[in-house]
Amino acid sequence: MKRILVCVKAVPVSAFVEVDSQHRLKRDGINLQWNAADASALEAALRLAGEDGSVTVLTMGTSKLESPLRELLARGASRAVLITDRRMAGADTQATARVLAAAVKKLGDFDLILCGCKAIDGETGQVPGQLAAALGLPCVSNGETLEADPDGLTITRRLETGTQELRGRTPTVISLCAYSYPLRLPGILGMRRARNIPVEVLNADDLGLLPEQCGLKGSATKVLAMESRFPGMRRGPKETDLTLGAKALGQILREVRP
Ligand code: FAD
């Protein structure tokens, strides 16, 4: 596999994040990490590319992502591209995919485009399919393993109750499940190499996109309301009596596990 592009998204480290009055995630001042499924996609790409191929990492996000991208260069990526532009803030999934697709077209021909199957913050899992549609390519979701041979690719997909094996041709877009390929650590040589590779920075003008195609303006959907719900937690009356509290708890447990 010669040329592979991996879409990587920086997501908050903590589940406790704030949103602004327009329901936009406040990304300033919070610690970010690369989405776990995207790390899997990068490792899969590095293995498929081997010594002869190239792996480009592409992200849309804040200007602060330059240095985290450098870390991915140290881990083996050959090229890192950051799309950053205030006009892109507040993008919904379609606007995100439109921008990523414009960048993919500008950066050249790729044999394979890998994504994570979902980002842990937006958590829609829509971007890979929308990106494939914008590029006119097929898309395979929830990939667990990927093998390449001269005739194409064999992909194992994770299903809710098992797995499915598919054969496909390139170019294609594939989304990978988190932790299917643990990402390698950066080595000393990789860190040295990364120092000499510039992170390429693009904005809407570079991609030939109009302001109304990006960010909030370019989004067909709008978040109207948000409510936090933590898995396994539910509201109920506060019980101060120990015996009554134990009874109430027993009742809840019977409902959850009859
Ligand atoms: P998913 O589809 O779950 O991501 C799958 C994969 O796509 C990732 O693993 C990664 O490989 C790739 N990918 C996704 N995003 C990127 C990226 N930025 N760069 C590179 N690769 C990427 N967020 C806001 O902050 N402000 C808003 O106003 C806002 N409005 C929204 C409105 C709606 C209706 C929706 C559905 C979402 C909105 N979001 C908003 C969330 C925002 O759309 C998403 O963060 C972003 O579009 C990606 O969607 P996702 O996180 O669900 O990605």
Side-chain angles (χ1 to χ4, degrees):
M1 194 68 50
K2 288 285 170 234
R3 286 170 56 92
I4 306 177
L5 180 135
V6 186
C7 292
V8 289
K9 182 179 181 190
V11 295
V13 171
S14 164
F16 298 92
V17 290
E18 284 183 60
V19 290
D20 66 16
S21 57
Q22 295 190 65
H23 308 296
R24 285 186 299 202
L25 199 66
K26 287 188 187 168
R27 290 180 195 273
D28 288 339
I30 59 167
N31 290 329
L32 295 171
Q33 62 186 347
W34 293 115
N35 187 48
D38 308 359
S40 281
L42 175 55
E43 179 60 34
L46 292 171
R47 291 188 196 182
L48 287 175
E51 293 293 311
D52 311 330
S54 72
V55 176
T56 300
V57 282
L58 171 68
T59 193
M60 179 181 98
T62 71
S63 56
K64 298 205 175 100
L65 293 177
E66 235 179 285
S67 142
L69 275 174
R70 198 160 286 291
E71 185 213 311
L72 300 185
L73 290 169
R75 288 178 193 249
S78 0
R79 189 176 178 193
V81 182
L82 168 64
I83 313 163
T84 189
D85 194 319
R86 281 265 156 221
R87 293 169 288 182
M88 289 173 184
D92 71 0
T93 58
Q94 198 183 24
T96 302
R98 187 180 298 128
V99 169
L100 295 177
V104 172
K105 284 181 194 158
K106 185 181 171 72
L107 294 172
D109 289 332
F110 292 96
D111 302 311
L112 186 61
I113 295 164
L114 297 183
C115 294
C117 64
K118 67 176 179 184
I120 57 153
D121 53 356
E123 218 176 358
T124 65
Q126 290 172 186
V127 171
Q130 290 170 326
L131 173 62
L135 294 169
L137 295 177
C139 182
V140 177
S141 61
N142 292 345
E144 213 167 36
T145 63
L146 280 183
E147 274 166 42
D149 58 61
D151 299 323
L153 286 166
T154 305
I155 306 140
T156 311
R157 292 185 66 229
R158 189 186 295 169
L159 308 179
E160 202 167 307
T161 52
T163 58
Q164 182 184 50
E165 199 170 286
L166 300 177
R167 282 287 297 166
R169 281 197 305 265
T170 57
T172 187
V173 177
I174 300 175
S175 72
L176 267 284
C177 297
Y179 311 114
S180 43
Y181 288 93
L183 181 56
R184 65 194 63 185
L185 292 169
I188 300 274
L189 283 180
M191 286 190 234
R192 275 201 198 140
R193 196 179 57 90
R195 273 202 303 238
N196 299 320
I197 308 177
V199 172
E200 295 161 57
V201 182
L202 300 173
N203 63 22
D205 301 326
D206 298 322
L207 298 176
L209 291 169
L210 300 169
E212 51 271 29
Q213 292 176 294
C214 309
L216 266 184
K217 278 190 183 169
S219 297
T221 53
K222 195 172 190 306
V223 178
L224 295 180
M226 288 178 88
E227 185 194 349
S228 295
R229 278 202 195 159
F230 296 100
M233 278 177 78
R234 63 183 210 184
R235 289 206 183 96
K238 192 170 175 183
E239 195 54 78
T240 47
D241 182 282
L242 202 59
T243 313
L244 292 178
K247 272 190 185 163
L249 193 58
Q251 178 62 30
I252 291 169
L253 290 174
R254 272 192 294 278
E255 282 170 28
V256 178
R257 289 213 168 178

